[in-house]
Amino acid sequence: MEIVASVKDLQNLLSEKRNSGEEIGFVPTMGALHEGHTSLIDTSVRERKTTVVSIFVNPLQFSAEEDLDDYPLSSEKDKEICANHKVDLLFCPTQKEIYPEGSPELEEIGEIGKILEGKSRPSHFQGVATVVARLFEIVGDAHVYFGEKDFQQVMVVNDLVKRRRFPVEIVACPTIRQIDGLALSSRNVYLTEDQRADAPVLYRALNMGAELIADGEKSSENLKKLISDIVRNESKGDLDYVDVVDSETFAPVNLLSDSGKKIRILIACKFGSARLIDNIGVVIP
Ligand code: PAF
């Protein structure tokens, strides 16, 4: 594995790979790698000849009150994980390398990025879109692997790719979970023992919601109420939102009556200082 810090070095190495006909797989990360990330890396390694991983903690996607200063860093461990998972190129740029002009102009985001997470975390998706656009400019033609745990992020990035015509293909990969259903996230390290015991309620409640739809429920309001009640009754979590959207357009769905339509139920909830998100895909029967 080669570790590079400069854009120029990365681009030179990528040109060599492309000249020998190698397809590039790219996994952008903020480090603190866990099995959610390694499943993306493993998929890229399986599907593409060359896999590039970037590790860059992007300050633009954290608000002033959020956890940038406490964001878990584990650079030596991350390097070891990447090497063990057969990453070819590890890109660990400095702030200056990514944002040479200091504070860059923020990328525009469409409506998709303004609801749910976008509403709870204003400017978050603009920060994500800005760094992702920059990384796409640097890496160029590639298949880029994202986790469906951050379903709205995948939608925002797909929209960005379409609007900016980046020569990349987004590959959305399934959420990796612990045995009790808790979705893997770098934020899980903030959970106390009691909160960790509470947190699987999110996936449990999402699954109960999916069952309700399978049993014929047509009202999103009833669905959201069932899920909220489960989270409130079975945990000390502080629920932020539960919502239902069309999986393709991300438009809110009120009536669950369109047979065959693919929808996503999304949830965000705080357990102490850890704000966790999760989602599940359902096809309306
Ligand atoms: O999902 C993440 O880890 C980040 O939002 C990303 C895509 C690496 C951009 O900083």
Side-chain angles (χ1 to χ4, degrees), residues 15-16 32 35 37 48 69 88 109 112 125 127 131-132 137 155 173 177 184-185 191 203 224 230 246 253 261 269 278:
S15 298
E16 282 173 25
E35 281 165 45
H37 300 107
R48 311 289 147 206
D69 290 343
D88 301 285
I109 49 158
I112 291 173
F125 283 127
V131 77
V132 166
E137 274 160 11
M155 300 295 287
C173 303
R177 301 182 179 279
L184 294 194
S185 162
L191 296 168
Y203 190 51
K224 288 190 241 176
I230 293 172
D246 183 314
V253 172
K261 190 198 205 54
C269 186
D278 203 349

Side-chain angles (χ1 to χ4, degrees), residues 46-67:
R46 226 175 22 248
E47 295 183 352
R48 311 289 147 206
K49 192 83 177 55
T50 294
T51 291
V52 186
V53 171
S54 65
I55 297 183
F56 177 69
V57 181
N58 172 38
L60 295 183
Q61 67 192 79
F62 293 84
S63 71
E65 314 82 64
E66 282 181 333
D67 50 358

Side-chain angles (χ1 to χ4, degrees), residues 28-31 37 54 56-58 61 71 124 127-128 131-132 135 146 150 153 157:
T29 81
M30 298 203 299
H37 300 107
S54 65
F56 177 69
V57 181
N58 172 38
Q61 67 192 79
Y71 194 81
H124 167 68
V128 170
V131 77
V132 166
L135 290 167
F146 284 93
D150 298 302
Q153 170 168 277
V157 171

Side-chain angles (χ1 to χ4, degrees), residues 144-156:
V144 191
Y145 295 80
F146 284 93
E148 280 187 343
K149 206 267 292 165
D150 298 302
F151 187 78
Q152 193 174 1
Q153 170 168 277
V154 177
M155 300 295 287
V156 166

Side-chain angles (χ1 to χ4, degrees), residues 17 64 76 104 108 133 135 154 164 223 251 278:
K17 304 274 184 199
E76 281 316 308
E108 280 304 313
L135 290 167
V154 177
R164 295 279 313 271
L223 173 73
D278 203 349

Side-chain angles (χ1 to χ4, degrees), residues 3-15 89 91 97:
I3 303 177
V4 290
S6 89
V7 169
K8 218 162 151 217
D9 289 347
L10 178 69
Q11 288 180 327
N12 287 340
L13 287 164
L14 285 174
S15 298
L89 301 174
F91 179 46
E97 209 53 36

